[in-house]
Structures are given as structure tokens and as C-alpha cells.
Amino acid sequence: MKSLKLPHSLHSSHGGKTLIPFPNRKLALSTGLFTRTITLFSPSILPCGHCDLKEARRMQFSMSSTSASIQPMNEELIGDKSKDLPVSGDSIRRRFLSFYASRGHKVLPSASLVPDDPTVLLTIAGMLQFKPIFLGKVPRQVPRATTAQRCIRTNDVENVGRTARHHTFFEMLGNFSFGDYFKKEAIKWAWELSTIEFGLPANRLWISVYENDDEAFKIWHDEVGVPTERIKRMGEDDNFWTSGVTGPCGPCSEIYYDFHPERGILDTDLGDDTRFIEFYNLVFMQYNKKEDGSLEPLKQRNIDTGLGLERVARILQKVSSNYETDLIYPIIEKTSELANVSYALADDHIKMNLKIIGDHLRAIVYLISDGVFPSNIGRGYVVRRLIRRAVRTGRLLGIKGDGRGNLEGAFLPVIAEKVIELSTHIDVDVKDRSPRILEELKREELRFVQTLERGEKLLDEMLVDALSRAKENGTAPCLSGKDAFLLYDTYGFPVEITKEVAEERGASIDMNGFDIEMENQRRQSQAAHSAVKLDVGNGADLAENVADTEFLGYNSLYAKAVVESLLVNGSPVIQVSEGSDVEVLLNKTPFYAESGGQIGDNGFLYFNDDENQQKAVVEIKDVQKSFGNIYVHKGTIREGVLEVGREVEAAVDPKLRQRAKVHHTATHLLQAALKKVVGQETSQAGSLVAFDRLRFDFNFPRPLLDNELVEIEGLINSWIGAATILQTKVMLLADAKKAGAIAMFGEKYGEQVRVVEVPGVSMELCGGTHVSNTSEIRGFKIISEQGIASGIRRIEAVAGEAFIEYVNARDYHMKNLCTTLKVKAEDVTTRVENLLEELRMARNEVSTLRAKAAEYKASIIASNAFPVGASNKIRQVSASMIRRSRLVLVECMDDTDADSLRSAAEYLVDALQDPAAVVLGSCPGEGKVSLVAAFTPGVVDLGIQAGKFIGPIAKLCGGGGGGRPNFAQAGGRKPENLSSALEKARSELVTILTEKAS
């Protein structure tokens, strides 16, 4: 959905002072530092007149009919809220859902912030979980639904805290119709919710409609009664919603709240966000946009709406921005306490920084709760960036330590505790996951503080260079915008601090260049994250014509089935001949389709002719779910011709299925063992159940110890040996959670779920295939344990037949090793350690000999050193004057290795009298160049540094390097350029030293 617009500010102050008189009905919020009173919205007293309660009640819609009539709106009339309900954010959410539940909508839970959609990085809209239904790819489960969806958007992250409306985390309240009701009901209910349920004054509400949507205009005016002057027709950019270049689309209508009705109705601009706030958006999804740009009516018209919870809370709680509602303000209060500032008394800049932390901590906590951990890629980078922005903002506020006496402690976990406290009505799982959330925040913040310190050192180096360049060029010192952005983006270094430090050193910053770099990043971010892509193509038609596949694979590995459809390169065909790759859709199947981490089954499809002679064989190599619950069998025609409508015999490879079953059950045992050995807070972060191994990713801050791995293996093998019979049952999701069943990471669940239990050990929600008895697993062995991201560990293991193969292979290699070393297995370690020590000593001897050989070569070429900087006349008159000349030695030492070249250079600077400059080069191997520069103190004192000198020389050889002022090494990949590189080194040394002498 397109973004909603909010005013930058209201011309009102804190403490209950408002733009217009309201009754003294107030909600006191404790701030910790001070008590803040929020005046609640009551429409009883308004400049335009008073409310006729009887007339307001007469306007209410019937609760039982979608086509109930509504009386025209009285200009002087406003909605009445005589129920005297509180207007907390939680109550607004609850009342919204109850309102639509009473009108036949199924209340569905918020989807995860990690969407089941490869086209979108994070859940950015309330409609996202219903995308397959809107596309017609899956059948609707209910005709209408309502949700309070958690959303994340980061494309406008730089505006967070600067405006009254921008957030990275927000809640979108929505009501949806899947081919059920349409414009009339959606409009009337939105009006009733706004004016009757929430009591918003009708004469403060403005409407926008698409410029060509006469139907919506008439409903708003003729049936709802909104005056024509308060209905604005707007263009395609504002009021026509599209999912992309092609796909579902349609006009939309928005409801705006007017903060300043006294400004009148002439020349009104709904885009004036000092006056208006858009809080409810109704999308009438009625067309499919084709590739040529034309619109065709959808077979199923849908309603997709979004009401911004934070925005409505701002209106009803009558505060000047979303940040001052009870949804966010307590977080800001906690931040103010740590920063030792008063929000009410703070200037705009400090308020902005407090808002940034209040917003970002909400996003961070809910993302980590949903399994997104800081990393340098994908969703993990979003979390890391938000954490870093919050940390550096805290530093700008002067927050030091955790506020509990530890000045080296992390402050984000302290603020996150307040977010978790407020999460009860948003996501009940956050509190249970709080130990993991707080630990991850602490670790990431403390690590980033070290990064900030490195950024400070880099800034110092940048300023030294900038000041040096300015002195040489006679210009004002200025740090480039690219350098400032590098500090900001890579090291998280605030540009405000960069500017302050630079000014202290007498330099400025190219802010125009910085803004250009920032804008480039913003555009890339928007392109990546701001759109929900929908498409109506062959897939939707296919899903419409093919029923869901009946899965028989829990009880059988064989079934007779009918070919419903054949696809080649994604396009439907009638028949496929031998040698072709094909995707086969069957009406029923014993093949398991990849899900829950378990890969799809392999096997064969057989087709016999009327005389029962085999006519076609299809080898199935993978099975995937698509378009909802349709199984796509991917394979190759090995023999014959396969046609749509034919009956086939579908047979799963039983050996491979057994391998998958063994590894899947072993994965459940592994998770149970991890929780028992290292702590209950560990949880799954991904998995792979394959035929040859299993892979399990889990949240944990450190590598597992050897004794912990041994204990985990021991537990699992003891459970395998106990020969426990597994229990599988289907039950309600709520009942399964109450029973303690663990949900698998990344899986989506309906109301009915399958629960797999190893009694006394493990209980998980899982649709995968499993052994019937743990004894079938036979044995379990961990192959590796390693970190794959910050706070994420990975275990790879084998079980069953793969375990036997692994043990046999290890035994085979051990026997060969014993034969080669001529020792028993138990003596292999000692023998290898002895061999390694012998090898180390031999290498040291070789290295010593090479160094001595290099020094010998150096003693021979030392005589090639020549003086620079003294005239011939002086040399003829005084030998002592010759000794004061600078000696230069630049030579090639053939194939001398890098270490020996270093030894030779060290020998030469000791042998030659100070001042002397030595540059040596060699080609120690094919495609390799080694270079070394060694300068005596007398040369360094002249301002010539070896580290800076050798770099450009190495570039000529296709490499680079550097080092200290007196000694530096470099390398390259172009031996053919070594001669010219050394000649350049010789020439530059002569030139520089001659200039220094004069």
C-alpha cells in the first residue's frame, strides 16, 4: 500500500494544552522523570457546535447487514462515544478487530516480519500474507478477514524522528474481502468505525478518491453524506494502487483527519501535512494490469485496507506526533532517563534523537523475536543497521553505560526491556524470547562500540591527510563527502560527530558530497524494499484449473494417480516425449514436497499401455509446493511419452525416504539435546534435512565446547537406544502450543497442525516425515560445529545409513594412515605430532640457510651502492664529505623468497653507513614478485617513508604493500615488470635525495 502522510508537527505543546477546547478527561502517563498528562479526545465540545447524541445514535449502521442504509451526514454532527472506553493503543487495536469481527470477519494473527515471499525482504504491508489469495493462487479459507499486522519499512529511515509520522516499525490494522463485499460495504464500515466506534467528528474528516472513480464518489456523497467540497478527486500517483508493472490493481480511497478546520475549505490541499493526516486507506482491487498497460476486470474483486494504529492513536490521544502516544512514548521516557534529559524541555534536535531510539528499538526487538539476527546480508543487515543507528544516536545523547552503574555496559538492552513490557498485546512470544533478544542486543552493541572506536582512528587519519593536502595546495582543509559517508555507512560514525571533530581540527566537511552519497543509498534501499510484487499470469490460471494435491506419503510410498498438468519451462503442454525435463502435477501423490527444511522425495512415475506394457518412465529428482498446496514433481522423461489425463504409478525411492526420515527425527532430537545441554533459550534458526546429512542452525552466542558436543551426542544416542515409539497427531494450533509443542523456524501454520512427539524428549509442530521408532536412527554423529553469522551457530551431523557410511569411511582412512605410518591406531596422534615437530625443525633450518645465503648475496652487491647528494668537486677534495652523501642501493636478487629478501635488506642497512636507502626485488615463484624497502634513520629524518614509497612501486608489478617509515614490504603478480619497477625506484630515490640535499 502506498504510504500514509502525517503532518510534521502540530502547533500545540505538551501537558494537555491543545488547539481547541476539550473537556478535562485526561490520562496520566508516568514518565519516570516527570508525570505527563495526555488529554483524551472527546468530541463533545467543538468550535462548530455541540453533538446531538440522539442523532448520532440514529446514524449507527446495523451490525447484522452489509447493505444497511445510512442517514446523510449533518454538518454540525459528530460521532458520539458515550461508551467512555479508554483510548490506549491496545484498546484501539482491540476495538478495531472487534468491530470487524462483529461484521463477519475472521480475526487472524499477525504474520511474521519474515514473509513467506521471496520477492519481499520483510513484511511491509498488512496485505502481504494474503497475496496468494489476491492472486488466485490459493483458495480463500474465509471470505473476509481482519488483522493487526506488524510491519517493517526502512526505505525512509533517514526521516525517522524528523517527522511526526515516519517509522521503521508500525502496526497496520486491516480488513480484507476476498471476492466477498466490495466498495459500498468497505466505505460505510470505514466511516462507521471512524465516526461512531472511534468518535471522530464527521466535519473533521476529508475523503480522497481516484479521479475517475465515480462509484466511490457517489457512495461517499449520496449514501454516507460527505459534502462534495470535502471529497477530493486525485490522480493516479495518489489514488490508484498498483502492485507493479503488471498484476492486480485498482483505485483507492483515503480518509484524512483535519487538525485545523478553522482554515476553511477553499484551496485545500490534502497533501498539507501541517493540517491533515491520512489514517485509513481503502484499496478496491478490481483490475489486472496487463503488459500493454491495459486494464481488465479481475474475476474476483477484493478489498485491502490499512489503518495506521500509531496515527489513529495520535488523533485520539490528541498529541502532536505519533511518538507521543502510549505506544512509543514510554520507550522515549526510558531513553530520556538514561540520557539524563527531559523530553518536555529538550530542543528539537534532542527530541529527534530520542524518537529515533524509541522507533528503532521497537523494530529491533520484534525482528530479533521473529528470528532475524544481525549480519551483513539481507534481513540481518537491516537489524544491524538499526542497532548501529540506535547506538550512535545514544552516544549523541550522551548515554554512558547501562544506567545501572556499569559505564562499560550496554544501554540498548535496558531500553529494550521497556519495549518487551509493552509487547504483550502485540506479540505474546516476545516476552518468552526476551533472554535471547537482550543477549543479542548486548553483544551487538558492545561489538559495535569497538567499531566506532576504529572509526575515530580512521577519521583522525583522514583529517591528517586533508590538512596535509590543504597545506600543500594552499586551500582550506575539507573532508570529502565520500570519506564522511564511508565513516557513516561502514563504521556507523555520525556525521554530526565527524563535523564537530573536523571543525575542532580546523577542517570542514563537503556536506553536498555526503548528501549525494546518502541519496544514492536511499534510492537503492527504496528500490529493494518499498514494493510488494504481485503478478497474474499462467500460474494463476494453472492454480484455478488444478485442484490441491492429495498427499498420501505419510502412510504409503506408492499410489496410482492422474496427471492433471504437464509443464515444460513453466508453460503448460499436453504431452512430453523422451529426454525432456518436465514438471508433473498429479491429483494425489506419495512424494513429499520440500518444506520444513526437508528436501523433496526422489523416485519414479510409471505409465503402462492397455496391454500392461511399460510405455513411459519419469525419473523424479525433486518435488516442490507451488500455488498453495499443489505438488510439482520435477523430473526427466527416461522412456516413452507422457500425456495429460493418463494414470500413472507413482513410486517413492524407499531408501532415500528412509534416510530423510532418519535425519528429520534426529534433527528434533538434536534441538532437544541442545536445549538440555546449553540452555532452553537456544532456538532453531534454520535447518536442512537431506538424504546424506542434516544441518541445524541455532541461536547461541559462542562456540560449543568439546565436552558439550560429546554430551549432546551421548544424549541423542541414548534416546536412539531407548527405542521410543513416536506419536503423531493432528490438533488445533492453540492446543498444540498449550501442550508445549515447538514451532519449526520459517514454517507457516493453519488452525490445524501436525504434532510429532518423541515422548519424554521432544514435541514439535512438523509436517515432515519421521521414523516410527527412534531405534531406526541407529546412530548419530556430529561432523562439524561452526559460526555462520553473529550469534548463529551451525551443526552438521549424520544419522542412520549416512552415519554407518561416515564411520566406515573414517575407519578406512584410519587403517590406511596406520599402514603408512606403521603404527597402531592409538599411536597415530603421537606419531603425527613427532613428524610435525621434525618438519618444523627442518623448515627452520632451511629458512636459516636461505637467510644466510641471502646475506651472502647482499654482501656481494653492497659494493653497488652509490652516493647521491654531494658534488663531484666535493668528492674529489674530501673523503669525509663523501661519507656524508646519501647512499642508494636498488638491486634484483633473482628468486630469493620474501623472508630471505627481508633478511638481506636488514643486513644491508646495517652494513651501509647512515644515511642509506635500500630497495630490493625478487621473483620467488611463477607469477610472484617480492619487494622490500629499508631506510636508515638519516633518510627517514629527511621525510622519506619506506611504507609510502614502496606502494606505488609495487603497483607497477600488479600489487601493493606498505609498512613502517623505516621498513616496508610489498608484493605483486607481474614479474615481467620488476626490472622497470626497480629502475623507477632508483630514479625516484636519486631525485628525492638530490632535492633534499639542495
Side-chain angles (χ1 to χ4, degrees):
M1 295 180 64
K2 70 188 192 68
S3 62
L4 304 178
K5 296 175 282 295
L6 274 173
H8 290 281
S9 63
L10 291 177
H11 302 297
S12 61
S13 62
H14 305 292
K17 296 179 181 180
T18 57
L19 293 168
I20 55 178
F22 288 86
N24 294 323
R25 189 159 140 243
K26 300 179 178 179
L27 172 67
L29 297 179
S30 171
T31 66
L33 294 177
F34 52 91
T35 298
R36 183 168 181 276
T37 302
I38 296 179
T39 302
L40 304 186
F41 182 86
S42 174
S44 301
I45 301 176
L46 288 169
C48 61
H50 66 277
C51 175
D52 184 338
L53 299 183
K54 292 182 180 180
E55 182 68 6
R57 292 191 184 96
R58 189 170 64 81
M59 284 180 59
Q60 294 185 17
F61 292 112
S62 166
M63 302 289 279
S64 59
S65 171
T66 64
S67 59
S69 62
I70 181 172
Q71 297 298 322
M73 181 184 72
N74 186 327
E75 265 301 283
E76 297 292 314
L77 191 62
I78 58 172
D80 168 57
K81 284 309 299 168
S82 57
K83 302 173 187 177
D84 199 30
L85 293 174
V87 289
S88 67
D90 288 338
S91 75
I92 295 170
R93 184 191 306 106
R94 184 172 61 254
R95 288 160 62 185
F96 178 92
L97 297 175
S98 297
F99 179 89
Y100 281 104
S102 69
R103 288 154 180 77
H105 291 68
K106 176 72 173 178
V107 179
L108 297 176
S110 171
S112 168
L113 290 174
V114 180
D116 187 20
D117 186 333
T119 70
V120 184
L121 194 66
L122 293 165
T123 297
I124 62 174
M127 56 74 65
L128 194 60
Q129 66 170 304
F130 305 116
K131 173 179 168 180
I133 301 175
F134 287 142
L135 288 175
K137 291 183 176 180
V138 299
R140 69 181 189 183
Q141 301 300 315
V142 292
R144 54 183 78 167
T146 183
T147 64
Q149 176 63 53
R150 304 186 302 276
C151 299
I152 292 283
R153 291 182 189 172
T154 59
N155 54 304
D156 288 326
V157 68
E158 296 304 325
N159 289 323
V160 169
R162 298 180 184 274
T163 71
R165 64 184 175 90
H166 280 94
H167 299 292
T168 54
F169 174 88
F170 58 95
E171 286 188 83
M172 190 64 75
L173 309 179
N175 56 286
F176 306 91
S177 167
F178 312 115
D180 187 22
Y181 65 83
F182 200 51
K183 288 184 185 179
K184 182 181 293 188
E185 294 82 2
I187 290 173
K188 288 183 175 181
W189 282 336
W191 185 258
E192 182 181 356
L193 174 80
S194 302
T195 60
I196 305 301
E197 177 62 33
F198 289 144
L200 298 180
N203 66 334
R204 282 184 173 235
L205 301 185
W206 291 66
I207 308 299
S208 70
V209 298
Y210 180 52
E211 56 190 358
N212 296 330
D213 193 356
D214 296 332
E215 181 185 4
F217 190 99
K218 288 180 180 179
I219 296 172
W220 281 116
H221 177 60
D222 297 343
E223 302 194 40
V224 175
V226 180
T228 56
E229 61 268 22
R230 288 219 297 273
I231 307 175
K232 295 287 186 179
R233 292 181 183 267
M234 300 177 74
E236 185 172 338
D237 289 343
D238 293 298
N239 278 75
F240 194 89
W241 183 85
T242 60
S243 59
V245 179
T246 61
C249 59
C252 61
S253 183
E254 297 154 329
I255 306 178
Y256 292 77
Y257 182 80
D258 184 358
F259 289 102
H260 295 283
E262 72 277 5
R263 296 182 184 176
I265 60 176
L266 296 177
D267 300 321
T268 305
D269 177 13
L270 294 181
D272 178 6
D273 53 9
T274 66
R275 176 175 177 178
F276 296 102
I277 173 176
E278 175 200 339
F279 66 91
Y280 209 163
N281 191 357
L282 316 176
V283 175
F284 312 124
M285 201 180 297
Q286 62 189 93
Y287 300 113
N288 173 43
K289 190 173 185 179
K290 300 166 69 175
E291 290 187 3
D292 61 3
S294 62
L295 303 177
E296 62 179 4
L298 287 173
K299 297 177 182 178
Q300 173 180 293
R301 299 189 303 176
N302 306 300
I303 290 293
D304 162 25
T305 80
L307 180 144
L309 175 60
E310 291 80 6
R311 301 176 182 209
V312 175
R314 173 194 175 187
I315 298 170
L316 294 180
Q317 294 177 12
K318 215 166 72 57
V319 292
S320 62
S321 81
N322 298 2
Y323 293 94
E324 294 165 26
T325 67
D326 68 336
L327 294 166
I328 307 176
Y329 193 71
I331 308 168
I332 293 177
E333 288 180 301
K334 188 64 183 178
T335 309
S336 300
E337 179 183 329
L338 292 175
N340 196 28
V341 298
S342 165
Y343 180 85
L345 302 177
D347 60 29
D348 290 342
H349 186 72
I350 291 177
K351 283 183 178 178
M352 179 190 72
N353 287 331
L354 291 170
K355 291 173 184 177
I356 288 172
I357 294 179
D359 169 88
H360 285 12
L361 260 294
R362 295 176 88 207
I364 292 163
V365 165
Y366 288 102
L367 280 167
I368 294 177
S369 177
D370 279 354
V372 183
F373 292 88
S375 70
N376 288 328
I377 58 173
R379 302 181 182 101
Y381 180 70
V382 173
V383 179
R384 175 158 286 170
R385 186 182 178 202
L386 292 176
I387 290 175
R388 291 186 169 188
R389 196 164 191 258
V391 171
R392 68 178 187 250
T393 303
R395 288 170 71 96
L396 284 175
L397 287 168
I399 297 177
K400 295 181 180 179
D402 59 7
R404 296 167 179 170
N406 183 4
L407 295 179
E408 302 298 325
F411 72 89
L412 292 187
V414 179
I415 302 173
E417 289 174 355
K418 178 59 67 175
V419 181
I420 294 168
E421 179 185 321
L422 297 171
S423 69
T424 306
H425 300 291
I426 304 174
D427 182 2
V428 295
D429 292 327
V430 172
K431 190 171 183 179
D432 294 335
R433 297 165 182 165
S434 60
R436 182 181 63 186
I437 295 169
L438 298 177
E439 180 61 32
E440 190 64 34
L441 274 172
K442 176 182 177 182
R443 181 170 53 253
E444 185 69 12
E445 178 181 343
L446 294 180
R447 180 186 292 118
F448 180 53
V449 167
Q450 297 175 351
T451 303
L452 273 176
E453 291 172 353
R454 291 196 296 270
E456 291 171 348
K457 293 180 181 178
L458 179 60
L459 172 57
D460 184 66
E461 294 176 6
M462 290 176 173
L463 287 173
V464 168
D465 288 342
L467 292 168
S468 176
R469 286 195 305 270
K471 186 176 181 180
E472 292 177 3
N473 300 328
T475 58
C478 179
L479 193 67
S480 73
K482 183 169 289 188
D483 282 346
F485 184 76
L486 173 68
L487 286 164
Y488 169 81
D489 191 50
T490 302
Y491 293 90
F493 210 77
V495 70
E496 295 89 348
I497 291 181
T498 302
K499 185 176 181 181
E500 181 180 337
V501 174
E503 288 175 350
E504 290 176 357
R505 302 280 292 275
S508 62
I509 295 179
D510 176 13
M511 290 304 299
N512 288 333
F514 178 84
D515 291 339
I516 290 172
E517 296 292 331
M518 184 70 75
E519 179 65 17
N520 290 338
Q521 186 196 63
R522 188 189 67 80
R523 287 174 180 170
Q524 293 171 0
S525 177
Q526 281 186 321
H529 301 297
S530 62
V532 179
K533 298 180 181 178
L534 303 181
D535 188 26
V536 176
N538 292 337
D541 296 336
L542 183 63
E544 204 170 272
N545 298 323
V546 178
D548 286 351
T549 309
E550 180 184 358
F551 178 59
L552 308 173
Y554 289 136
N555 302 313
S556 176
L557 299 181
Y558 170 86
K560 288 188 177 181
V562 175
V563 177
E564 296 282 352
S565 181
L566 296 172
L567 302 174
V568 174
N569 296 324
S571 299
V573 295
I574 300 300
Q575 67 176 24
V576 186
S577 58
E578 183 175 324
S580 300
D581 292 332
V582 64
E583 295 178 347
V584 185
L585 278 59
L586 305 174
N587 66 330
K588 52 188 175 182
T589 183
F591 284 84
Y592 181 84
E594 180 177 328
S595 61
Q598 181 176 333
I599 65 174
D601 280 329
N602 288 187
F604 292 90
L605 302 180
Y606 302 102
F607 166 62
N608 298 331
D609 60 17
D610 294 336
E611 298 179 359
N612 206 31
Q613 297 295 315
Q614 185 173 290
K615 192 172 182 180
V617 176
V618 184
E619 183 180 6
I620 302 300
K621 285 296 185 181
D622 187 23
V623 184
Q624 298 284 333
K625 283 185 182 179
S626 187
F627 313 127
N629 204 37
I630 297 174
Y631 284 47
V632 180
H633 305 73
K634 300 183 178 183
T636 304
I637 307 291
R638 297 302 181 195
E639 297 179 25
V641 177
L642 186 63
E643 300 175 340
V644 173
R646 290 289 187 175
E647 185 179 68
V648 296
E649 297 176 6
V652 175
D653 185 321
K655 292 183 179 180
L656 294 182
R657 166 64 78 85
Q658 180 65 19
R659 283 172 170 260
K661 288 164 58 176
V662 161
H663 281 134
H664 207 148
T665 305
T667 300
H668 286 209
L669 298 181
L670 174 57
Q671 178 159 227
L674 279 166
K675 288 181 176 292
K676 193 174 183 67
V677 173
V678 300
Q680 289 294 320
E681 68 276 8
T682 61
S683 62
Q684 181 181 344
S687 69
L688 171 68
V689 176
F691 303 133
D692 61 337
R693 73 191 190 286
L694 68 88
R695 187 180 70 212
F696 188 79
D697 300 339
F698 60 100
N699 304 301
F700 202 62
R702 60 168 176 82
L704 295 186
L705 304 175
D706 289 342
N707 65 300
E708 289 172 332
L709 293 172
V710 170
E711 186 177 354
I712 289 168
E713 282 187 349
L715 265 176
I716 295 172
N717 283 307
S718 68
W719 291 333
I720 293 171
T724 303
I725 297 174
L726 274 69
Q727 297 179 6
T728 304
K729 62 185 90 172
V730 176
M731 56 200 303
L732 292 174
L733 177 60
D735 293 339
K737 287 186 175 181
K738 287 179 182 178
I742 299 173
M744 296 289 282
F745 178 83
E747 280 294 279
K748 311 298 178 184
Y749 300 101
E751 291 187 18
Q752 295 277 335
V753 294
R754 183 170 181 263
V755 178
V756 177
E757 181 180 8
V758 182
V761 177
S762 167
M763 180 188 292
E764 297 191 18
L765 307 182
C766 183
T769 62
H770 289 271
V771 299
S772 57
N773 189 302
T774 58
S775 62
E776 294 179 43
I777 302 176
R778 302 168 71 183
F780 176 90
K781 182 67 180 176
I782 293 175
I783 298 174
S784 67
E785 190 274 341
Q786 61 183 333
I788 59 170
S790 175
I792 305 292
R793 310 295 301 176
R794 169 173 291 173
I795 285 179
E796 292 199 8
V798 289
E801 192 66 28
F803 166 77
I804 302 299
E805 291 170 353
Y806 177 79
V807 171
N808 286 339
R810 293 285 289 262
D811 183 62
Y812 171 79
H813 293 304
M814 177 57 77
K815 287 179 179 177
N816 284 342
L817 189 59
C818 290
T819 300
T820 301
L821 297 177
K822 298 179 181 179
V823 295
K824 296 179 181 179
E826 57 268 26
D827 297 327
V828 166
T829 301
T830 301
R831 179 60 178 143
V832 170
E833 288 175 349
N834 291 337
L835 287 173
L836 289 174
E837 178 60 21
E838 292 174 8
L839 178 60
R840 186 187 66 81
M841 293 176 65
R843 284 177 173 172
N844 286 342
E845 290 177 3
V846 171
S847 179
T848 300
L849 290 172
R850 285 178 176 172
K852 288 182 178 180
E855 290 176 5
Y856 176 72
K857 289 182 181 179
S859 67
I860 295 175
I861 64 173
S863 59
N864 294 339
F866 58 91
V868 174
S871 69
N872 291 332
K873 182 177 180 181
I874 292 176
R875 290 180 197 161
Q876 293 170 2
V877 173
S878 174
S880 62
M881 294 298 294
I882 296 177
R883 286 196 295 270
R884 283 170 19 206
S885 301
R886 287 81 172 175
L887 293 175
V888 173
L889 178 63
V890 180
E891 292 289 334
C892 176
M893 294 189 66
D894 303 325
D895 59 353
T896 303
D897 64 273
D899 289 340
S900 300
L901 199 67
R902 178 190 182 97
S903 297
E906 291 173 344
Y907 171 86
L908 285 168
V909 292
D910 287 340
L912 297 175
Q913 293 182 350
D914 187 21
V918 175
V919 175
L920 302 177
S922 67
C923 299
E926 185 176 353
K928 291 183 179 181
V929 173
S930 289
L931 289 164
V932 64
F935 296 167
T936 63
V939 173
V940 174
D941 290 343
L942 293 174
I944 310 172
Q945 297 187 7
K948 293 184 177 180
F949 181 83
I950 200 66
I953 303 301
K955 284 184 180 179
L956 297 175
C957 297
R964 304 187 307 274
N966 66 320
F967 196 92
Q969 284 186 280
R973 300 178 302 277
K974 298 179 179 179
E976 64 274 16
N977 294 348
L978 177 59
S979 179
S980 58
L982 291 176
E983 183 57 39
K984 180 176 177 61
R986 182 182 293 106
S987 174
E988 290 194 357
L989 282 174
V990 170
T991 301
I992 294 171
L993 291 174
T994 300
E995 290 176 355
K996 297 295 182 180
S998 63

